[in-house]
Amino acid sequence: LMEFSGDEGPTELFNTNRYVIDIQNKGLNTLTGVSMTNALDPSTVFASASASQGSVNYVGGLVTANLGSLNPGDLATITIEFVPYFATNIADTVRVVCNEFEPDLSNNFATNQTTVINPVVITNQPASVFAQLGDTANFSVGVTGTPPFTYQWFYNGTNVIDNATNSTLTLVNLSPSQSGTYSVSVLQILGPEEIEGAISDAATLTVQ
C-alpha cells in the first residue's frame, strides 16, 4: 500500500514544499527489493530527500529510493522537498516496485496535484488627496499576483466602508467629516480555506 501527500492547498512561488510518501507492506509475506521512483515536475527545483530506511538519491530530475525489504506491516517513509519556480499546475507521480509478484498493481503508484500561484503584491499605493467641500475624491490600488482578488476599503484604519469592495474607492460630495485616512486590504482567494492578503499604505484625505 502506498499513500502520497503534499502540502495542503495551493502554494506560492519559491516556497519550499514537501511530498511525504508512505510505503507499507499490507500483505502476508516479506517483500524484497522495494524501490521507489519519483520524477519531479520540470518547473520545480529539488531541495532534499530522505528515507526512513535504505537509501535515496536524486539525479537529473528523478528521485529514487532503494528501501530493501519490508516485512508484513512494515512502513517506510520518504520525504522529498522541492521549490516551485513557475506559477502553474504541477503533477507529481510516484511508483513503487518489488521483486515479488503482485496481483494488484493499482496501489503501486499515486499522483499529487499542486497549484503554484504568484502571491498578491501591491504595486501602486493609494495616493493622498486634498479636496474642496463638495468635490469628488478617488483612491485606487494596483496589485499583481494570481487572481481572483477581493478588496475591502477602510476609514481611519479599522472602520469598514460599506460596499467599498473594488480596486478603486470613489467618495462624492465631500464634507470635512470625511477627512482622515483610507486604506485597502487585498485578499487572494486560493481555495475553500486558503487566503493570502496584503494591506495598502494609508492615504490621507483632507477636505477644506
Side-chain angles (χ1 to χ4, degrees):
L1 172 68
M2 181 171 62
E3 295 181 345
F4 179 28
S5 64
D7 289 341
E8 294 296 326
T11 186
E12 295 181 358
L13 287 178
F14 312 126
N15 277 1
T16 299
N17 291 260
R18 180 179 295 109
Y19 293 136
V20 178
I21 302 110
D22 290 328
I23 302 169
Q24 186 173 25
N25 181 359
K26 288 285 191 177
L28 301 177
N29 301 306
T30 298
L31 300 177
T32 62
V34 180
S35 63
M36 180 221 71
T37 58
N38 181 1
L40 292 179
D41 191 279
S43 68
T44 67
V45 172
F46 172 79
S48 67
S50 62
S52 61
Q53 70 179 63
S55 62
V56 60
N57 296 283
Y58 172 79
V59 177
L62 185 67
V63 180
T64 59
N66 295 309
L67 304 175
S69 299
L70 288 176
N71 293 320
D74 282 356
L75 174 71
T77 299
I78 301 160
T79 302
I80 302 170
E81 292 189 334
F82 66 95
V83 179
Y85 273 71
F86 297 95
T88 184
N89 293 316
I90 59 176
D92 194 82
T93 300
V94 175
R95 290 180 171 82
V96 175
V97 297
C98 65
N99 292 335
E100 284 68 35
F101 170 74
E102 296 181 85
D104 181 11
L105 299 177
S106 63
N107 59 5
N108 282 31
F109 68 92
T111 298
N112 183 276
Q113 301 279 345
T114 303
T115 299
V116 183
I117 59 98
N118 278 307
V120 57
V121 174
I122 294 178
T123 55
N124 295 298
Q125 298 285 351
S128 295
V129 175
F130 291 88
Q132 300 295 320
L133 183 68
D135 282 354
T136 296
N138 292 293
F139 297 97
S140 63
V141 66
V143 300
T144 62
T146 303
F149 305 115
T150 63
Y151 302 87
Q152 178 60 63
W153 288 88
F154 296 88
Y155 174 61
N156 285 342
T158 59
N159 299 303
V160 174
I161 303 174
D162 292 340
N163 302 315
T165 55
N166 297 305
S167 60
T168 298
L169 171 67
T170 299
L171 303 174
V172 299
N173 194 23
L174 291 173
S175 66
S177 64
Q178 291 171 285
S179 294
T181 61
Y182 291 82
S183 58
V184 61
S185 68
V186 186
L187 299 182
Q188 188 176 31
I189 309 301
L190 310 178
E193 299 179 356
E194 296 290 328
I195 299 176
E196 297 290 336
I199 300 176
S200 75
D201 296 340
T204 300
L205 172 63
T206 303
V207 181
Q208 298 176 338

